[in-house]
Amino acid sequence: MTDSPALPDGPWPRLLPGWVWLCGAGPGDPGLLTLHGLNALRQAEVVVYDALVEPAILDWAPGAERLYAGKRGGKPSPKQRDISLRLVELARAGKRVLRLKGGDPFVFGRGGEEAQTLVQHGVPIRIIPGISAGIGGLAYAGIPVTHRDVNQSVTFVTGHDQSGQAPSSLNWQAISDGSQVIVIYMGMKHIARIAAALLDAGRPADEPCAVVTTATTGDQRVLETTLARIERDIDTAGLEPPAVICIGRSVLMRQVLDWQAQAAGEAPRSLDPLGRGRPAESA
Ligand code: SAH
């Protein structure tokens, strides 16, 4: 149990009885929680949290009742509607409720659905954004989700739909044609199909890819591979979800920006991985 960190002098919003705050906890590293998130933890009477929320963060709400609402692919988990209705119930019982979700609550986290149900039931809400795994998780792997020499756009994609199937509504040809860099959430289960669809759509077999698992935690692992080899390499490395998968040349930037390896004493593998032959900031 860690002491709850101090909050800078306010004023901070008050979490009133009967309210639900939906808050992103970030991808793992407790330091990536926002100050609004910390303020919420300090006031909450009940914290309803997901599987992907780091336990250390919950320790910052020592007085609060903890309700687990984990949803992990494939395992039995509470139904989304039940979670939303539980939040309504708690609010109606006059609790100060914090709904804590991994990453950002509005990025592939069903936070939008929960918030909608709450509003439909007349429950007042506040949304506290968080650092999403597809941005912050990649940053911890040394991969900038945009870089002027690589991409002016990025596409965030989910690898499976509500039923756990590969999302049939996705037009992989359009995604392939229109996306300089593709970041896939929940992509591990269907990576073979996703990679095949992108290759069919014309993405190069040797396109750089990275798989970052349990990003920003002490167990973070990073695999660098290519589109043609990604499935086999994930298998060989024995990587497990949760993972964010980045497809595109941004992955090459890790050769210069793998700051965790550098902090551990390794030299950068390259200072100019894109072969621009000029200082990064010229022109
Ligand atoms: N709202 C979350 C995403 C929830 S969907 C966010 O904004 O980050 C769950 C998926 O998020 C996981 O399957 C995985 O793809 C990704 N994810 C969440 N935390 C992660 C982490 N620490 N490392 C790698 N991927 C993570």
Side-chain angles (χ1 to χ4, degrees), residues 27 52 102-104 107-109 132-133 184-186 212-215 242-244:
L52 290 175
D104 182 281
V107 178
F108 298 131
S132 191
I184 305 174
Y185 290 68
M186 296 174 276
V212 187
T213 68
T214 46
V244 278

Side-chain angles (χ1 to χ4, degrees), residues 73-74 110 157-170 172 184-191 193-194:
R110 308 196 194 200
V157 176
T158 173
H160 55 70
D161 64 16
Q162 296 195 356
S163 59
Q165 303 300 308
S168 47
S169 59
L170 286 178
W172 289 104
I184 305 174
Y185 290 68
M186 296 174 276
M188 295 287 264
K189 186 168 169 202
H190 297 302
I191 190 59
R193 290 170 63 178
I194 293 168

Side-chain angles (χ1 to χ4, degrees), residues 3-278:
D3 288 341
S4 184
L7 203 57
D9 287 344
W12 290 97
R14 298 247 298 128
L15 172 49
L16 297 173
W19 281 62
V20 177
W21 286 5
L22 276 97
C23 174
D29 181 348
L32 296 177
L33 184 78
T34 63
L35 294 176
H36 274 300
L38 181 59
N39 174 51
L41 282 163
R42 298 188 132 205
Q43 300 179 67
E45 289 170 325
V46 187
V47 181
V48 183
Y49 66 100
D50 278 350
L52 290 175
V53 173
E54 275 290 292
I57 290 177
L58 295 172
D59 286 346
W60 292 344
E65 183 189 346
R66 297 178 187 184
L67 293 179
Y68 177 67
K71 295 179 72 71
R72 293 287 331 139
K75 307 210 177 99
S77 51
K79 292 215 166 37
Q80 183 58 46
R81 184 147 183 83
D82 294 344
I83 298 172
S84 298
L85 293 177
R86 185 91 177 94
L87 294 172
V88 171
E89 247 172 51
L90 289 164
R92 288 197 173 148
K95 302 281 189 196
R96 304 168 201 265
V97 185
L98 175 59
R99 174 69 172 115
L100 197 58
K101 302 176 76 77
D104 182 281
F106 279 2
V107 178
F108 298 131
R110 308 196 194 200
E113 293 161 56
E114 290 178 20
Q116 188 180 5
T117 304
L118 289 162
V119 172
Q120 284 170 346
H121 285 79
V123 174
I125 60 167
R126 182 184 182 99
I127 306 298
I128 303 176
I131 294 180
S132 191
I135 298 176
L138 293 181
Y140 265 48
I143 300 169
V145 82
T146 76
H147 183 292
R148 215 157 47 118
D149 288 338
V150 174
N151 59 326
Q152 289 69 47
S153 69
V154 56
T155 304
F156 296 102
V157 176
T158 173
H160 55 70
D161 64 16
Q162 296 195 356
S163 59
Q165 303 300 308
S168 47
S169 59
L170 286 178
N171 179 341
W172 289 104
Q173 183 69 53
I175 290 172
S176 170
D177 292 345
S179 315
Q180 293 165 304
V181 170
I182 304 169
V183 177
I184 305 174
Y185 290 68
M186 296 174 276
M188 295 287 264
K189 186 168 169 202
H190 297 302
I191 190 59
R193 290 170 63 178
I194 293 168
L198 288 171
L199 288 168
D200 275 356
R203 300 293 283 219
D206 63 354
E207 178 154 26
C209 300
V211 181
V212 187
T213 68
T214 46
T216 82
T217 73
D219 298 325
Q220 172 174 305
R221 290 181 69 188
V222 185
L223 168 73
E224 287 176 42
T225 178
T226 62
L227 202 48
R229 291 203 329 251
I230 189 166
E231 185 204 3
R232 204 171 352 131
D233 286 352
I234 287 174
D235 211 43
T236 308
L239 294 185
E240 299 280 347
V244 278
I245 298 169
C246 180
I247 298 170
R249 287 168 68 248
S250 332
V251 170
L252 299 177
M253 293 305 297
R254 184 170 145 76
Q255 296 174 16
V256 63
L257 299 180
D258 184 0
W259 55 273
Q260 299 208 52
Q262 290 162 27
E266 281 178 35
R269 279 177 281 159
S270 164
L271 293 180
D272 183 19
L274 302 174
R276 308 294 288 188
R278 56 166 172 75

